[in-house]
Amino acid sequence: MGDTSRILIPADIDNESIRAFVEEWAGVTEPDRVELVSAADDARLIGGALAAGELLPAGAGRYYARSHPKDTARSEERTVVATSDPADRGRYNNWQPASEVKPLITERMRGASRGKTMYVVPYLMAPPGTPLAAYAAGVELTDDRTVVLQMIRMARVGLEHFDGLTDPDFFVRGVQVTGDPDSLRHGTPEDARLFATIADERTILHYGSAYGGNALLGKIAHGLRQASYDGYTSGKFLAEQFLLLGIRDLKTGATTHVCGGFPSASGKTNLAMTLPPDALGDRYRVDFYGDDIAWMWIDDEGQLRAINPENGAFGVAKDTNEATNPTAMAAIAEGSGTIFTNTAYNQLTGDVWWEGLTPQPPVALDGWLDWTGAPIADRGPDQQGAPWAHPNSRFTIPLERVPNLAADAADPAGVVIDAIIFGGRTRDREPLIRAIDDLAVGVYDGLTLGAEATFAAEGVDGQLRYDPMSMRPFFSYSEGRYAQHWLSLLSRVRELPVFAHVNWLQRDPEDGHYLWPGYRENLRALNWLSRYRAGDAHGQPTPVGVIPTAEELDLTGLDIPAEDLDRLLRIDTKRWTEEMQHRHGHLSNLQDLPQAIWDAHHRVAETLQPLASDPASGTAR
């Protein structure tokens, strides 16, 4: 350990456990100074980042950051879960022994913060007072000021959040060290980056990145990987990559709360931030709670409750515009405190731009720099089609800026969950919506969630890239124990939420047009699900769930061809039978699945088989 005598630890770090944690890692990373921060420091830190050129102004009260060109996304292959128990190894969690990982990453961090400031960021990943607050406390040590500013937007930052905890010494310890990006050998066999959640020690060590998905330790590493492990080992809760929204019926006063998981590019953020279609705007309001993470537990009355542990949104900029997500556009308006990362930037005007913001990029090229900082006007003929913004460019905002944020979004009691939905991107096979009433079949459906691969990308045209529960990159223990935890926890619920699978992206097989308009119109499918759960709609049973009839969908103000609607509300049993074979292979690769999941799989397959083998059956309605 290095000499810490020259490093002054701030006296206002008066929690002895936090102080010892800071001293330990200051001795390893050897920063020049240590600074304790809180949300109250935001304006001062913004000023320092602007003066240092780490941020650039992007209109009044908005800011622009550009990361290293090789540090632009999460790196799943460099991310591991480490524990002392080999039984935690799963198909997807890249498990490694803690006894090997911790010394390796510690050595890489040694002396790596020399010449820098170590920022001490105490935070809470939950509304204060929630029953899960004990699992929400964390301290991140980071040597990057932009990371601090994004954490202030994503979490509740400040040492004062430890005051109400039963045990202020029980917190997640996180260390993020950026390292020298030019010497990390990205993508080579000698790649030095390593991002480890040492789950059974509640310690997170990330080396080699300042990109948000790798560096905002409270978000994914704590909010998903560590929290999922804590939820399992405590037996108390689930931590999932789920959206959370409420649909309020202004006529009856009833609100339906929906959470659920979607693989990337399947419409999760747009759904989380959706508004009612114009034709239904006088009847319904959609309340936003969160677009990325939900923690769920059973209350004393046997109800399934959920909170969004985050206090902000870390959204993908690409294709965000007034048509696809007007809520997000209002949230990132001037004065919002938004930090944009790796979009295009105009150094003369402070404007930002990304693909999909407008149909075409700006015509006048003066001042425009692409996401790497290169002038657009200097591009040669062979570069004209290159993106202006990185496809994973982001905006970071506090939740309070979302215009339809639910009034009770910060209620420590959370909200009662009425429906759990999964949504994948498939061109056929998956109807608009299918409801599932059985717990084991609902969990099975989540474990077989996926998005359709493309032939060019995967070589498996039409097959799914499975993303169980949308947690594939975030599992912290084996999938079999994960599935059993779901079954065990939800078996205690007094009234089970209805499960459902949705698909906004089915296409016509001949001309490829989307059969469903999507976006705000998706509320119509969720309204049917709410009525189905209440017994006011009955739908048509199929081997894979209950599908609405055309008469039960409220299509007021929506002009959709009858043939498209018919295709959206039917099951192609032949295609489903083919998919069941792929699912069998997928499930076989998961570790120690409970028998209840296999039984659910076989029940669905056996129900489909006679329909698929009967030429007269065609499609099931």
Side-chain angles (χ1 to χ4, degrees):
M1 181 170 295
D3 177 17
T4 60
S5 61
R6 65 177 183 82
I7 304 171
L8 180 64
I9 307 297
D12 47 0
I13 303 179
D14 54 5
N15 177 304
E16 291 184 6
S17 295
I18 295 178
R19 192 173 188 87
F21 169 55
V22 173
E23 289 177 345
E24 175 187 359
W25 286 96
V28 173
T29 65
E30 302 181 23
D32 277 12
R33 59 188 295 270
V34 175
E35 179 180 332
L36 175 67
V37 299
S38 74
D41 295 309
D42 186 64
R44 176 180 61 80
L45 293 167
I46 286 282
L50 289 168
E54 298 160 2
L55 290 180
L56 299 172
R62 304 195 306 181
Y63 311 98
Y64 175 75
R66 185 181 296 121
S67 69
H68 190 278
K70 293 183 179 180
D71 187 24
T72 56
R74 281 189 298 106
S75 179
E76 292 182 22
E77 70 278 6
R78 305 302 304 158
T79 303
V80 304
V81 170
T83 68
S84 58
D85 185 359
D88 290 327
R89 182 192 300 273
R91 169 73 173 174
Y92 297 121
N93 69 347
N94 199 8
W95 180 88
Q96 294 185 19
S99 60
E100 297 177 9
V101 170
K102 191 172 182 179
L104 178 63
I105 198 167
T106 300
E107 193 57 36
R108 292 182 185 179
M109 289 181 170
R110 196 169 300 282
S113 295
R114 290 172 188 156
K116 297 183 176 182
T117 295
M118 171 187 280
Y119 297 96
V120 181
V121 188
Y123 64 86
L124 197 65
M125 291 300 294
T130 181
L132 301 181
Y135 301 98
V139 176
E140 175 171 358
L141 310 181
T142 174
D143 60 9
D144 188 285
R145 183 160 35 194
T146 303
V147 170
V148 178
L149 289 165
Q150 294 193 75
M151 277 294 291
I152 287 173
R153 283 150 181 76
M154 294 302 301
R156 296 152 187 87
V157 172
L159 199 55
E160 66 273 14
H161 294 297
F162 279 60
D163 293 342
L165 300 178
T166 303
D167 181 0
D169 298 330
F170 183 75
F171 60 90
V172 171
R173 291 152 168 82
V175 185
Q176 178 266 323
V177 173
T178 304
D180 175 16
D182 291 323
S183 63
L184 293 172
R185 302 181 294 280
H186 293 73
T188 71
E190 296 78 32
D191 196 328
R193 295 173 300 154
L194 186 57
F195 313 118
T197 298
I198 306 173
D200 54 357
E201 296 184 19
R202 306 191 78 236
T203 297
I204 300 166
L205 305 176
H206 281 207
Y207 173 73
S209 174
Y211 164 74
N214 298 322
L216 304 180
L217 303 187
K219 180 174 172 55
I220 288 173
H222 181 172
L224 283 175
R225 291 190 192 92
Q226 183 64 56
S228 179
Y229 191 89
D230 287 344
Y232 168 69
T233 56
S234 69
K236 293 181 178 179
F237 67 103
L238 297 163
E240 308 296 329
Q241 191 190 345
F242 280 7
L243 61 79
L244 181 58
L245 60 84
I247 304 169
R248 195 188 320 167
D249 187 326
L250 301 177
K251 181 177 180 181
T252 68
T255 298
T256 299
H257 292 104
V258 180
C259 68
F262 292 65
S264 61
S266 295
K268 184 177 70 167
T269 297
N270 287 340
L271 179 61
M273 291 185 168
T274 195
L275 300 174
D278 289 337
L280 303 181
D282 292 338
R283 175 70 185 271
Y284 298 99
R285 172 185 162 91
V286 181
D287 290 328
F288 173 84
Y289 290 87
D291 70 331
D292 204 36
I293 304 177
W295 290 4
M296 296 177 284
W297 73 97
I298 313 297
D299 69 12
D300 293 339
E301 298 178 357
Q303 300 176 109
L304 182 66
R305 289 187 171 270
I307 56 168
N308 170 19
E310 299 187 284
N311 200 34
F314 183 63
V316 175
K318 188 176 187 296
D319 292 328
T320 299
N321 57 51
E322 292 290 351
T324 63
N325 198 331
T327 305
M329 293 302 295
I332 63 177
E334 289 196 350
S336 61
T338 304
I339 298 176
F340 298 98
T341 305
N342 292 337
T343 63
Y345 177 76
N346 191 303
Q347 60 186 339
L348 301 180
T349 65
D351 291 333
V352 293
W353 189 86
W354 53 83
E355 277 67 24
L357 176 62
T358 55
Q360 298 296 327
V363 175
L365 302 184
D366 289 351
W368 280 106
L369 308 175
D370 69 16
W371 66 274
T372 70
I376 301 289
D378 292 351
R379 288 183 169 183
D382 60 332
Q383 298 175 302
Q384 292 303 307
W388 284 32
H390 190 278
N392 195 42
S393 56
R394 297 276 177 162
F395 56 83
T396 311
I397 53 170
L399 284 191
E400 64 187 25
R401 296 295 181 176
V402 179
N404 64 331
L405 181 67
D408 58 349
D411 188 336
V415 296
V416 176
I417 296 300
D418 302 295
I420 298 172
I421 64 174
F422 301 108
R425 182 185 69 252
T426 59
R427 78 186 75 177
D428 61 6
R429 184 177 58 248
E430 280 289 359
L432 177 66
I433 185 169
R434 51 185 177 87
I436 299 167
D437 296 307
D438 182 87
L439 172 58
V441 177
V443 175
Y444 159 75
D445 193 77
L447 291 172
T448 51
L449 173 64
E452 192 170 280
T454 63
F455 181 80
E458 304 286 349
V460 285
D461 193 28
Q463 295 182 26
L464 297 187
R465 179 187 185 268
Y466 293 103
D467 186 352
M469 299 282 193
S470 76
M471 284 286 286
R472 179 171 171 151
F474 313 118
F475 280 114
S476 52
Y477 58 103
S478 72
E479 296 84 10
R481 290 193 291 175
Y482 171 88
Q484 186 58 59
H485 182 43
W486 261 85
L487 294 172
S488 299
L489 196 74
L490 267 68
S491 68
R492 295 160 35 201
V493 176
R494 187 185 66 203
E495 184 178 0
L496 190 70
V498 63
F499 286 85
H501 199 113
V502 301
N503 177 27
W504 321 129
L505 301 167
Q506 192 176 162
R507 290 175 176 264
D508 183 274
E510 296 181 3
D511 63 18
H513 78 268
Y514 288 107
L515 302 181
W516 182 250
Y519 303 118
R520 294 164 67 174
E521 307 298 344
N522 297 337
L523 186 68
R524 300 173 189 271
L526 299 185
N527 282 345
W528 173 83
L529 184 64
S530 177
R531 297 198 305 275
Y532 172 77
R533 183 173 188 264
D536 298 328
H538 304 285
Q540 289 290 326
T542 79
V544 293
V546 178
I547 295 176
T549 64
E551 295 74 23
E552 288 177 337
L553 277 178
D554 184 351
L555 300 177
T556 303
L558 179 61
D559 183 17
I560 183 170
E563 58 270 24
D564 286 358
L565 185 61
D566 180 69
R567 189 173 283 116
L568 284 163
L569 301 179
R570 64 167 59 197
I571 294 292
D572 185 332
T573 54
K574 182 175 182 296
R575 287 288 287 119
W576 262 98
T577 302
E578 294 171 356
E579 171 57 25
M580 295 303 290
Q581 297 173 2
H582 297 306
R583 289 187 174 194
H584 190 280
H586 161 64
L587 293 175
S588 298
N589 286 325
L590 304 184
Q591 301 290 319
D592 304 320
L593 282 181
Q595 187 60 44
I597 300 300
W598 279 113
D599 291 345
H601 172 74
H602 293 311
R603 286 203 306 274
V604 174
E606 289 166 3
T607 309
L608 277 166
Q609 190 59 46
L611 295 174
S613 60
D614 179 6
S617 71
T619 56
R621 294 290 297 273

